[in-house]
Amino acid sequence: MNPSQPAAFRMENVAKAYGGVPALCGVSLSIQNGEFVGLLGPNGAGKSTLFQIASGLFAPDSGTVDLFGLNYRSNSAEILGKLGIVFQARSLDADISVRANLKFFGGLFGLFGQRLKERILVVSEMMDIVPLLDKPVRSLSGGNQRRAEIARALLPEPQILLLDEPTAGLDATSRRNLVTHIHEIVARTGLSVLWATHLLEEVEGADRIVLLIKGEVKAEGTPAALMQMAQAADLTEAYITLTAAKAP
Ligand code: ADP
């Protein structure tokens, strides 16, 4: 992490309401280069809304969002080139092979020919799915399907990877393996990650946790800092204390 560089991602004082009902109420959040940030909160906290705004899917009602200092409103094409996005819903065609899916999405990202072949191999190696490339997606385990989804998101060499509840529907072992795997990629490549989840154990190893409750950041810091803040012996206790605490 280099503090003199602009944050990989920054949102300041972002608000968003649906039909007058607030989902995000003045949220500020940043991700530094090479940082793994866990966005933790119960269902309804506003994680998906924040995630969709970070993905550029829609603009906030107020507040600012930028990526490497680029404003979302004026640089949307450049921003999309730097973002890898893994939505909750599956995006791969289950009936065709992983390779055919990666070719299709690579084409959408403007990759073709030798460069596309190379990228497919690189992201498949990164996600440990090379032996599965020619199998239909539907024949893969849930965990490997998620790996293929992440490989798809990594195709255009994003600098920041956004994942919205990427372990939904996976068993405990696959969940843990996936989290560990992404940490290894972060350590090796310097990728920045925003990992949204309601599961505490998935963010225990995060560089920083942002705790989102009812559309507000209730606390943020390293896991150790959150434990200290809550005067708790472990992260579970800290989470319970901090989520129960009244807003200042
Ligand atoms: P999370 O991902 O943490 O579960 P969401 O961002 O999905 O949180 O939801 C935050 C709040 O906004 C919830 O009260 C939810 O019901 C509401 N909400 C989310 N999306 C919509 C939508 N498209 N229309 C109306 N309300 C929505």
Side-chain angles (χ1 to χ4, degrees):
M1 276 180 253
N2 180 349
S4 65
Q5 290 177 342
F9 173 80
R10 187 193 311 277
M11 61 169 45
E12 296 274 357
N13 218 9
V14 159
K16 172 78 190 170
Y18 297 102
V21 181
L24 294 177
C25 320
V27 169
S28 298
L29 179 154
S30 68
I31 307 170
Q32 303 305 319
N33 265 314
E35 194 180 26
F36 185 122
V37 174
L39 178 66
L40 178 67
N43 289 334
K47 300 184 298 299
S48 291
T49 302
L50 188 154
F51 187 89
Q52 285 160 340
I53 290 171
S55 306
L57 272 183
F58 53 74
D61 298 339
S62 59
T64 56
V65 191
D66 63 66
L67 194 89
F68 297 101
L70 299 167
N71 187 283
Y72 273 53
R73 285 179 201 272
S74 40
N75 304 280
S76 53
E78 207 175 334
I79 279 176
L80 280 180
K82 294 179 188 294
L83 276 180
I85 307 170
V86 181
F87 292 105
Q88 267 184 46
R90 299 188 174 182
S91 65
L92 300 181
D93 184 333
D95 291 325
I96 60 174
S97 69
V98 175
R99 191 190 304 275
N101 270 285
L102 294 180
K103 272 189 180 162
F104 171 73
F105 280 98
L108 291 185
F109 292 130
L111 297 165
F112 58 92
Q114 193 54 30
R115 174 83 183 128
L116 175 57
K117 274 191 183 154
E118 277 166 21
R119 285 304 300 158
I120 289 176
L121 192 60
V122 168
V123 296
S124 303
E125 280 170 350
M126 277 170 97
M127 292 314 299
D128 237 350
I129 55 166
V130 175
L132 306 174
L133 272 174
D134 293 309
K135 296 188 188 296
V137 168
R138 83 165 64 254
S139 72
L140 270 52
S141 67
N144 284 333
Q145 289 191 21
R146 294 311 286 180
R147 283 170 185 261
E149 291 277 356
I150 297 171
R152 175 198 57 70
L154 291 171
L155 270 173
E157 270 187 284
Q159 287 165 281
I160 172 162
L161 185 63
L162 308 174
L163 306 110
D164 191 10
E165 310 231 359
T167 60
L170 300 188
D171 60 66
T173 308
S174 310
R175 276 208 313 263
R176 174 167 295 191
N177 288 345
L178 197 61
V179 178
T180 307
H181 198 93
I182 298 298
H183 274 293
E184 283 165 9
I185 291 177
V186 168
R188 208 169 59 236
T189 66
L191 186 70
S192 307
V193 168
L194 181 68
W195 180 290
T197 181
H198 63 278
L199 297 169
L200 185 59
E201 68 265 26
E202 292 185 3
V203 294
E204 277 170 348
D207 296 313
R208 208 149 42 85
I209 297 172
V210 175
L211 184 59
L212 190 70
I213 311 275
K214 292 186 181 157
E216 291 182 31
V217 176
K218 220 33 183 308
E220 74 164 284
T222 62
L226 292 189
M227 288 194 283
Q228 199 176 17
M229 215 178 282
Q231 297 183 322
D234 59 44
L235 202 53
T236 307
E237 198 190 316
Y239 178 74
I240 292 168
T241 305
L242 292 168
T243 50
K246 292 236 180 326

